[in-house]
Every structure is written in structure tokens, then in C-alpha cells.
Amino acid sequence: MTEDRLPSRAEDFSEWYNQVVLRAELADYAPVRGCMVVRPYGWALWENIQAALDKRFKATGHVNAGFPMFIPKSFFEKEKEHVEGFSPELAVVTIGGGEELEEPLAIRPTSETIIGHMYAKWVKSYRDLPILINLWNSVVRWEKRTKLFLRTTEFYWQEGHTAHATAAEAEEETRRMLDIYTDFAVNEAAIPVIPGEKSESEKFAGAVITYAIEAMMGDCKALQSATSHYLGQNFAKAFNIQYLDVQNNQQFAWTTSWGLSTRMIGAIIMVHGDDTGLILPPHLAPIQAVIVPIWKKEEEKTAVCEKAGQIADELQKTLRIKVDLREGVTPGFKFNDWEMRGVPLRIEIGPRDLAASSVTLSRRDRPGREGKTTAAWEGLAQTCQRTLEEIQQSLLERATQFRKDHTSDPTTYEEFRTAVEKGFALSWWCGGSACETKIKEDTKATTRCIPFEQPGGTGRCIVCGMEASKKAYFGKAY
RNA sequence: CGGGGUGUAGCGCAGUUGGCAGCGCACUGCGUUUGGGACGCAGGAGUCGGCGGUUCAAGUCCGCCCACCCCGACCA
């Protein structure tokens, strides 16, 4: 069955990605253009992402709420930049119950406007602030070109919306949430990210400042993995979110919004996956270890399956475990199958292991025989736990090294042009949009972000040679 | 929205000069297998993307439409 092999990442990364998504059963194409069905395995992964984030949101005082998906279309005309940014990709409902609606309803592409409307209603006094609400929902943006998880017409995400009494507090919130995303990406998804500020041209429509975390995918392209926006008073003024301060003066509130979407699943696939399929970070994997029983004779089957069941019961107490009892497919088939699905650890148990009171462990991040070790039944839960932690760490290290190997610091514009073909370039940039545009026209690379971490001092802009106080990351992006 | 491509069984494809709708994989049943993608036998499965035209006869020729994929401009 040679046709069952994936295209290699080197020969066709895009096709490799599509096939991994479909074959690992993360998602499938829906009958509507650009829409996807998230299948149970993909949704389980999303649930683990949700749990890890939700825990962090709650710990920082946020609460969840539900807002409607229909928003009066006129709301989108209230904030100038926001209209320009979102009008082209709005889906609008004009008929309801068989009758033409008096006012068309936009299907939310993001909820700043309806949040603004409601917050205006709820906020009267400084005592009502801050409001720290998060929404887990889906949004619709009419995208021209779509790709499973990375850019679909409808996608699932969380959007946080907060309102504060002071600019400082709102700015602090914006940074706090970006820190949470960074922590999540690094420690749960094992994806090294670059936190930083977006350039004027790349920022969210209606924001004063947009922060983002940028990650490098396995094909060296950049993926914006989460964003956090400081909205200043733009939406407060557009929707009249006003409160009386301690001195009894009317003030406009300061708002923020921040989001992370199912695009993160795409990032996990593209950062960690290899030519045999998906590799999931243990912290987020729906199945952390799969037990594959192996037998030849009937009596072996009974003994092996019984032991496999015992081990599963024991490990289930601390780990997410699956026993693969399918008959009629060979162990070799199962190995490949679970490797495609990215299960980080495989526990093989057969007659040989029974005789030795042990199991064979196989690490997904180390293919073939070298990833196999023997582990005693005694203390197996701890062994697995430790191995999973090692895998989690090694995935992060591998990805960090990869990014390092594909990030350069070119000294001339000529070098720069070559550099962005091979990965990220970290270069001095004057901040001028003319230079940014020139880069984009010449190389198709864009400013990914101006990282918080700066070398200090000044340098010469890689394009115009003018004095620059900051370095920026440049690269081709999804 | 421009350029290119593809629509035939769940998936991948073949189908000659217009003449009974086919192959591989997957699926179902039975048997033998099972430590890195097993094999045999027997089955089920089709509005040939849609509509119209030419013809005794269209998967095949002609026209229109639709969908999807790939490449470019816009985006979490």
C-alpha cells in the first residue's frame, strides 16, 4: 500500500499538511465553500487547548459569557477603521422567517461592536469597571482563500473583551493576556513564539496597538498565533461607553480585546509534525499513550489483552490512555495509524513482554527502533509520565533550535532578500511604512512583529539606511 | 476577484473511432494471518457535477451553468 504514504514535507509541505489533517481525522471539508467540520479527534485537541487557556483566564479574574452571532449591520459603521477592515468579509443575513429584514444582520466576524453596545449599557460608574469577559464561540469571515484550520470561513476561537477606567490599566491587561498566550504556546503547545508589537499596517482594524505572538512553521513561514489589542477609547467613543469617575466627571472607558483560534491547531501540526504524520505535544494530546496488544495464538491473545487492560486501568488514573483492541489489522498497521494521529507515546505489549514482566515503549518524536525502550510494569505510570515530559521538552527544544537555525541577521538589503526566502530576518527597521511596502513588493515578506526583546542601541534601517531604534522580524507569512 | 486545472463508486483513477460503466484502494462476510502498513475467496456499492443541444445511440462531440483544487492581490 505505497499510496498510503504521505507526501514528504520537503517535497510538498502544503499537500503534506492537508493530508495530515484529513488522515489524522482532525477535520474534514464541509459542503459549504471554505468551511470545515472539526472531527471528534480534532475537537478533543481543541477542548484541551480550551481547558489550558480557560484556566489561565479564570485565574486572572475573567469570566465567560455568551453573545449573539447576529449583530445589526449598522454597528459596523460606527468605528471608521473597523468598517474598512471588516466590511469586505462580512456575511450578512437579509431574510428571516421568509421576510426581508428591516435591518440586515451581520454574522459576527468578531464581537467588538456588540460588546461596545452592551458595555455602554452596563457601565455607569467607575465602580462598574473593570469588565473582564471572555467568549468561546465561532466567527465568520468571508475569506477568499481558505485552508483547514489556518483560514476558514467560519472558525472557532475565544475572544476576550475588557473595559477599564484608565489607559494604563487597559494597556497592562493587553500585555498580561499576551503573556498568557506566550505561556500557553511555550508550555502547553511546545511552540516557541516571539511576542511583540504589530506594525501599523498589520494591526487590527480599530486598535491603537496590536500585540501578537509569531511562530515559525516547519516550512519556515510565519504564523500569527494569537493577538491582543489595546483599543484605547476608539470603541468606547464609537459606542459611548462612559462612566462617572471619583470626581463625578464623565469619562470614556478604555478597552481591550484578545483572541486565540483553532488556527493554533494548524500551528501545532506544522511545527511538530514529521513525514509520518502528526506529533502532538503530550500536554494537549487527546490520547497521551496508546496501548497496542500483540498476539499470535489464541491463548496469547487472552493473556496479553488481560494484562493490557490492567495496565490501562492503572495508567488511566493519571494519563489519557487508549487501548487498541481492533482485530483484523496487524500491529504494524496500528503503529502507523497512531503515528499518523500523533499520539506521543506507544506502549507495545506482546508475549515477549509478558515473559519479561515489561512493555516496549515507543516515542513518537524518535521514529523507528531508536525510539523504543523496555520498561518494567513496576512503576510504569511514573515512567510514562516522565517520558511524556521528556517528549514535551524535546519538542519545544527541537522547534526552538529550528527557528534559531532559520533566523538570520542580514547586514545588507541584498542579504536580507535572500534571508527572507529561507526563514526569518531580524533587522533594524526605521518604522516607516514606505520601507515596509518596498520589502513586501520585493520579497513578499512582511513585518511579523517588533519583538519586545530588543538589543538596545540603534542601527541603520535595512532598507533606507536611516537611523532605527528597533529591530523587527520579517518573513513570509500564512 | 484575476490566471490555471479537475469533476466517472467513499477515495485515487482508466474509459480508444460515439455502441452493455470499469480498475486499484477502502467497505461487508468467511477462512488463514498478526513484534513495523497481511493474504485468499465471495459480495455490496454509480443521477458519469448540472442543464440544454447534436445523434438511431453521448461518460465520450457542442454550448451554458455550477462546484472544488492549485497559483497570485486581501486576512486570526
Side-chain angles (χ1 to χ4, degrees):
Chain A
M1 294 202 288
T2 46
E3 67 276 20
D4 274 7
R5 218 164 293 142
L6 278 174
S8 80
R9 298 195 311 157
E11 82 192 61
D12 191 345
F13 193 84
S14 175
E15 189 51 28
W16 168 86
Y17 175 86
N18 288 338
Q19 299 225 5
V20 167
V21 171
L22 297 174
R23 296 207 210 173
E25 298 183 352
L26 293 172
D28 201 354
Y29 294 101
V32 178
R33 197 199 84 91
C35 289
M36 67 172 164
V37 170
V38 181
R39 302 185 65 175
Y41 192 54
W43 196 259
L45 177 56
W46 180 234
E47 283 177 337
N48 290 340
I49 292 171
Q50 287 183 302
L53 285 171
D54 206 61
K55 189 179 78 185
R56 288 166 168 81
F57 296 158
K58 302 269 172 65
T60 44
H62 301 86
V63 289
N64 288 330
F67 271 64
M69 77 184 318
F70 294 127
I71 299 176
K73 188 160 176 281
S74 60
F75 280 24
F76 287 88
E77 281 134 35
K78 296 193 181 190
E79 211 287 332
K80 190 172 153 282
E81 274 187 32
H82 202 62
V83 195
E84 288 167 7
F86 282 100
S87 294
E89 48 190 46
L90 275 191
V92 179
V93 176
T94 57
I95 294 171
E99 286 179 32
E100 187 93 7
L101 298 174
E102 211 153 295
E103 175 167 9
L105 299 173
I107 299 176
R108 65 178 169 225
T110 179
S111 303
E112 276 76 7
T113 57
I114 193 162
I115 285 274
H117 177 86
M118 297 311 294
Y119 282 12
K121 219 166 140 180
W122 296 339
V123 174
K124 299 286 176 238
S125 138
Y126 70 93
R127 293 179 210 276
D128 299 324
L129 296 170
I131 300 184
L132 307 171
I133 286 179
N134 176 62
L135 313 174
W136 287 103
N137 60 21
S138 70
V139 288
V140 168
R141 299 180 187 177
W142 220 256
E143 299 290 350
K144 307 281 187 204
R145 205 168 144 191
T146 61
K147 198 169 176 71
L148 294 170
F149 289 118
L150 300 180
R151 197 181 304 101
T152 47
T153 301
E154 181 187 17
F155 60 91
Y156 299 88
W157 73 344
Q158 59 68 216
E159 44 173 330
H161 295 275
T162 69
H164 307 262
T166 65
E169 200 184 306
E171 283 180 75
E172 192 188 322
E173 166 79 3
T174 314
R175 287 293 298 267
R176 178 185 302 118
M177 299 324 285
L178 193 77
D179 288 347
I180 283 178
Y181 290 143
T182 306
D183 176 58
F184 165 81
V186 173
N187 296 311
E188 309 287 1
I191 296 176
V193 292
I194 302 159
E197 185 178 336
K198 283 284 177 179
S199 73
E200 185 62 25
S201 67
E202 295 275 328
K203 78 175 172 58
F204 175 74
V208 176
I209 303 172
T210 289
Y211 298 114
I213 51 173
E214 290 286 330
M216 182 183 281
M217 303 297 105
D219 59 351
C220 298
K221 283 168 80 174
L223 186 76
Q224 175 174 304
S225 309
T227 49
S228 185
H229 315 291
Y230 170 61
L231 304 173
Q233 293 181 309
N234 292 353
F235 285 88
K237 285 179 178 165
F239 289 90
N240 201 32
I241 311 174
Q242 289 198 68
Y243 69 95
L244 280 173
D245 67 14
V246 198
Q247 282 87 33
N248 206 35
N249 296 317
Q250 282 288 349
Q251 302 281 1
F252 283 108
W254 306 79
T255 65
T256 81
S257 66
W258 26 276
L260 181 149
S261 73
T262 37
R263 171 179 268 193
M264 180 55 77
I265 293 175
I268 290 170
I269 299 164
M270 290 193 289
V271 169
H272 300 308
D274 67 9
D275 286 350
T276 18
L278 198 59
I279 301 181
L280 294 176
H283 289 185
L284 298 174
I287 299 169
Q288 294 174 306
V290 62
I291 300 175
V292 179
I294 298 156
W295 66 82
K296 277 196 178 73
K297 306 188 202 86
E298 199 60 24
E299 64 268 25
E300 287 173 346
K301 178 184 163 186
T302 318
V304 163
C305 287
E306 195 192 328
K307 189 63 204 175
Q310 283 171 18
I311 290 173
D313 287 346
E314 185 55 32
L315 297 187
Q316 216 113 45
K317 293 173 187 164
T318 48
L319 298 169
R320 297 187 286 271
I321 297 292
K322 159 108 188 159
V323 188
D324 189 351
L325 291 173
R326 280 179 294 176
E327 299 196 30
V329 285
T330 63
F333 179 89
K334 292 179 182 179
F335 294 169
N336 285 286
D337 194 33
W338 293 111
E339 280 165 11
M340 180 65 73
R341 289 173 157 78
V343 175
L345 189 62
R346 183 174 64 239
I347 303 170
E348 302 165 21
I349 177 159
R352 292 209 294 265
D353 301 288
L354 273 195
S357 296
S358 64
V359 296
T360 303
L361 294 184
S362 191
R363 285 176 61 152
R364 178 63 182 86
D365 62 331
R366 293 187 190 161
R369 201 160 295 163
E370 68 201 78
K372 291 201 184 192
T373 51
T374 303
W377 293 345
E378 186 71 33
L380 187 58
Q382 289 83 345
T383 308
C384 289
Q385 189 70 258
R386 198 176 54 240
T387 309
L388 287 168
E389 249 349 276
E390 279 171 27
I391 294 170
Q392 180 84 25
Q393 284 315 312
S394 112
L395 288 178
L396 178 62
E397 280 161 27
R398 188 197 284 183
T400 307
Q401 188 60 44
F402 182 85
R403 191 187 66 191
K404 207 173 147 194
D405 292 344
H406 294 90
T407 301
S408 55
D409 183 1
T411 49
T412 65
Y413 190 60
E414 274 315 301
E415 276 178 42
F416 177 91
R417 294 180 65 149
T418 330
V420 292
E421 292 298 321
K422 298 179 200 149
F424 290 174
L426 178 59
S427 300
W428 292 104
W429 173 47
C430 65
S433 63
C435 294
E436 201 180 6
T437 310
K438 178 170 166 53
I439 287 170
K440 192 168 181 181
E441 282 171 0
D442 290 350
T443 67
K444 285 175 189 156
T446 49
T447 38
R448 296 325 306 149
C449 70
I450 303 148
F452 296 140
E453 201 185 311
Q454 288 287 335
T458 58
R460 298 270 162 207
C461 174
I462 193 72
V463 186
C464 66
M466 300 281 280
E467 187 168 53
S469 60
K470 297 223 163 138
K471 281 192 160 186
Y473 276 98
F474 295 88
K476 293 188 181 176
Y478 273 97

